[in-house]
Amino acid sequence: MIGAKSLVKTLLASGVDTCFANPGTSEMHFVAALDQIPGMKCVLGLQENVVTGMADGYFRLARRPACTLLHCGPGLANGMGNLHNARRARSAIVNIVGDQAVFHRPFDAPLTADATAMAHTVSQWVRTSMKSAELGRDAAEAVRAARTFPGQIATLILPADVSWEEGGLVAEAVTPPPPPAVDGHAIENAARILRSHGTDTLILLAGHAVLGEAQSLAWRVASACGSVVMADYVTSHLARGRSRLQLERVPYDMNAAIQSLARFKHIILVNSKAPVGFFGYPGTPSIQYRSDACIHVLSRPDQDPVEALRGLVNALNAPDAAIPDPGPRPEVAQGAPTPGGLAQTLAAVMPEHAIISDESISYGRGFYKFTHAAPPHDWLHLAGGAIGDGMPVATGAAVGSNRQRRVINVQADGSAMYTLQSLWTQARERLPVTTVLLNNGKYNILIGEYKNVGAAPGPTAMSMLDLQDPAIDWVRLANGMGVEAARATTLDQCADLMRDSFSRDSPFLIELMI
Ligand SMILES: Cc1ncc(C[n+]2csc(CCOP(=O)(O)OP(=O)(O)O)c2C)c(N)n1
């Protein structure tokens, strides 16, 4: 058996059955093996940052890793923005990076690059397989590393000759380690703080703590102690809508964040990090909480928040507490688009168990408060700040949910231009993705950033944030990649187009002029 076959068989044996790919010469044997071995679903992306972003979106919904297939160091480099985002999202991904044959490396051929160095910047696990006989074992360990809770990036570099040579051995799946146990002292300490300072305490959730059972346990604790629960701004995936906790995130805006945290003398971290600003600004602190606040770690991101919160519920004897009713479902807003009106409209029309991929940047900052009363849904965010993940994450999420759930990608135009090839994959795979493309023709958020950093923009500086000369025609771009599209200038038109798109089993793009 050649190495490539042992690799595909090992991946399948380890539960990896989806491959997001953009192949080149060094990956030809892997691609050829896919035809000979049934079971591996392969999805083509036309740029590597689409490929890695799709793998991230896939994991967030499927909760098991896909693999990517990337071509040499430069292919990996193209995919690194979204691998960075995936690492911040704590998603599990197995990257297979094809590379020069071992014997060809010393000749310094054009595509030769230090893939290992690149891989280390975005991966928790990196290995180069040097022998066909070891490739299966290496692949099983890569999957184990990726599946280590809550999820990691594992990168396996695969020289072409290791792929094509005989001697491949299929390896059995390797069980990932369980999450490290929660420290009993951390539970006792949190309980003590909550008993004596409950109303001055924020319980800050992130990671798995904003999904499923952890939400209701956190609510029990907060209700028993009069504390506030919030989600970290850097949260990649929240379970939201009716019957879920009405969580707000710590705001992105530095002053708003400082204000929202000002009253808390204690912050209990549940899989979150102590909140800091996205950037440092002149004369502004880096931390967003007050400088005399005490930070208490209940559980780290690599620990199980359900175990931690259950321990806290028991320590406090916190009774059951019903999740508050979010009130009536909003109705479609009419007329000219506003951020609140769009959020309300989204809440009014989204089908049950929709998946929202939100890269709305400046327009979406206040979407949450209008969407608590929507049907239960999942909301996906950009966790690493490297724009260009909304469209690929939407695409991967549609694959990861087996095309069974409607994905709505609320997408800012400037960020969309980084990875717009995602639309082509959506059309080719007939994925149920509705993109609401927010066309404001500018890098709006950065206008405010000039002021925040204390810079004085002149006409040249302002023109660096302007996308209107020439204007970008999203209906034609989408059509050119096989995606049907229409323009809307009012929220009622947008609502009609959204509803219509939900009955299709193919993608649709609404260019909303905002
Ligand atoms: C990979 C990467 N490149 C550049 C930036 C800097 N950046 C942040 S926001 C932004 C523009 C966002 O514009 P758009 O997506 O249209 O959203 P809007 O600000 O108009 O709401 C840019 C270029 C970034 N965050 N990440």
Side-chain angles (χ1 to χ4, degrees):
M1 181 188 308
I2 63 166
K5 265 196 181 179
S6 70
L7 171 57
V8 176
K9 286 189 176 216
T10 302
L11 289 170
L12 285 168
S14 306
V16 176
D17 64 4
T18 303
C19 175
F20 296 97
N22 188 271
T25 309
S26 42
E27 297 78 46
M28 291 288 124
H29 281 88
F30 182 99
V31 179
L34 297 174
D35 270 325
Q36 294 153 26
I37 306 162
M40 184 66 80
K41 166 87 190 122
C42 219
V43 178
L44 178 61
L46 299 187
Q47 210 270 6
E48 288 87 348
N49 214 29
V50 173
V51 170
T52 52
M54 290 195 292
D56 182 1
Y58 174 91
F59 172 77
R60 295 197 209 175
L61 269 294
R63 287 286 154 199
R64 59 197 174 93
C67 63
T68 66
L69 187 61
L70 305 169
H71 183 51
C72 300
L76 171 61
N78 281 344
M80 271 165 68
N82 274 333
L83 285 175
H84 161 86
N85 289 328
R87 187 174 69 86
R88 291 283 177 195
R90 300 182 191 281
S91 290
I93 298 177
V94 179
N95 297 308
I96 312 289
V97 182
D99 208 355
Q100 300 288 7
V102 176
F103 66 81
H104 198 56
R105 286 185 172 196
F107 294 92
D108 195 31
L111 270 164
T112 307
D114 194 347
T116 310
M118 293 177 193
H120 273 294
T121 65
V122 286
S123 318
Q124 284 93 344
W125 184 98
V126 180
R127 186 176 296 173
T128 302
S129 239
M130 295 302 281
K131 289 193 184 127
S132 304
E134 291 168 1
L135 181 52
R137 179 206 66 191
D138 291 342
E141 286 184 20
V143 180
R144 175 190 189 268
R147 292 180 54 210
T148 299
F149 186 86
Q152 302 197 112
I153 313 289
T155 302
L156 181 62
I157 299 168
L158 175 57
D161 49 349
V162 174
S163 198
W164 75 54
E165 268 168 18
E166 295 286 336
L169 299 169
V170 181
E172 281 179 22
V174 189
T175 311
V182 175
D183 181 358
H185 294 294
I187 296 175
E188 268 172 41
N189 175 55
R192 184 177 56 82
I193 297 298
L194 284 161
R195 270 189 220 106
S196 46
H197 306 282
T199 52
D200 298 328
T201 301
L202 171 68
I203 302 170
L204 189 64
L205 312 179
H208 281 241
V210 291
L211 301 169
E213 194 188 347
Q215 282 194 4
S216 41
L217 292 168
W219 183 242
R220 270 171 80 170
V221 171
S223 307
C225 304
S227 313
V228 174
V229 195
M230 285 178 88
D232 192 355
Y233 179 77
V234 185
T235 298
S236 62
H237 180 179
L238 282 102
R240 304 190 63 245
R242 194 164 288 284
S243 78
R244 272 83 180 262
L245 202 52
Q246 290 156 49
L247 284 168
E248 287 294 337
R249 290 193 301 162
V250 175
Y252 169 85
D253 176 79
M254 196 63 193
N255 290 329
I258 290 172
Q259 232 177 340
S260 76
L261 300 178
R263 55 173 279 226
F264 300 114
K265 293 187 183 142
H266 297 271
I267 301 181
I268 294 178
L269 302 178
V270 189
N271 293 50
S272 55
K273 287 168 53 174
V276 297
F278 238 68
F279 298 104
Y281 297 101
T284 308
S286 290
I287 55 171
Q288 295 173 324
Y289 47 92
R290 50 195 264 185
S291 55
D292 63 347
C294 298
I295 305 292
H296 310 272
V297 178
L298 176 68
S299 49
R300 300 187 309 262
D302 64 338
Q303 294 177 307
D304 179 2
V306 173
E307 179 192 340
L309 287 164
R310 211 177 271 142
L312 196 51
V313 162
N314 291 340
L316 292 164
N317 246 328
D320 269 338
I323 299 274
D325 186 275
R329 186 174 181 173
E331 290 184 1
V332 168
Q334 309 286 316
T338 59
L342 177 60
Q344 203 181 311
T345 303
L346 194 56
V349 301
M350 75 165 76
E352 196 152 291
H353 301 303
I355 299 159
I356 314 296
S357 175
D358 178 354
E359 194 175 30
S360 54
I361 313 289
S362 63
Y363 208 67
R365 298 275 178 250
F367 279 177
Y368 268 24
K369 69 170 181 279
F370 300 96
T371 47
H372 290 306
H377 60 272
D378 286 85
W379 198 290
L380 311 180
H381 287 288
L382 169 63
I387 58 174
D389 96 328
M391 293 182 129
V393 162
T395 312
V399 178
S401 55
N402 283 326
R403 299 165 170 73
Q404 297 302 308
R405 297 168 61 182
R406 174 57 49 173
V407 180
I408 305 172
N409 175 202
V410 193
Q411 181 62 52
D413 53 355
S415 302
M417 285 301 287
Y418 286 65
T419 42
L420 75 170
Q421 305 92 329
S422 310
L423 292 171
W424 181 86
T425 301
Q426 290 171 16
R428 176 175 151 115
E429 297 289 328
R430 291 184 176 64
L431 297 174
V433 181
T434 301
T435 302
V436 181
L437 195 291
L438 307 170
N439 188 343
N440 62 2
K442 56 187 169 209
Y443 285 168
N444 188 41
I445 189 174
L446 297 184
I447 297 173
E449 291 292 75
Y450 274 136
K451 191 166 121 253
N452 293 340
V453 297
T460 309
M462 285 308 283
S463 80
M464 289 299 106
L465 311 185
D466 177 60
L467 313 182
Q468 297 194 80
D469 182 19
I472 299 169
D473 185 332
W474 279 96
V475 172
R476 286 171 66 189
L477 282 176
N479 287 165
M481 285 182 277
V483 172
E484 284 194 57
R487 186 165 296 143
T489 53
T490 65
L491 288 170
D492 19 323
Q493 278 170 358
C494 183
D496 289 345
L497 289 166
M498 273 200 263
R499 283 201 191 97
D500 178 62
S501 76
F502 299 157
S503 59
R504 300 162 182 253
D505 55 4
S506 54
F508 192 85
L509 182 140
I510 302 162
E511 182 181 30
L512 182 64
M513 311 307 287
I514 58 170

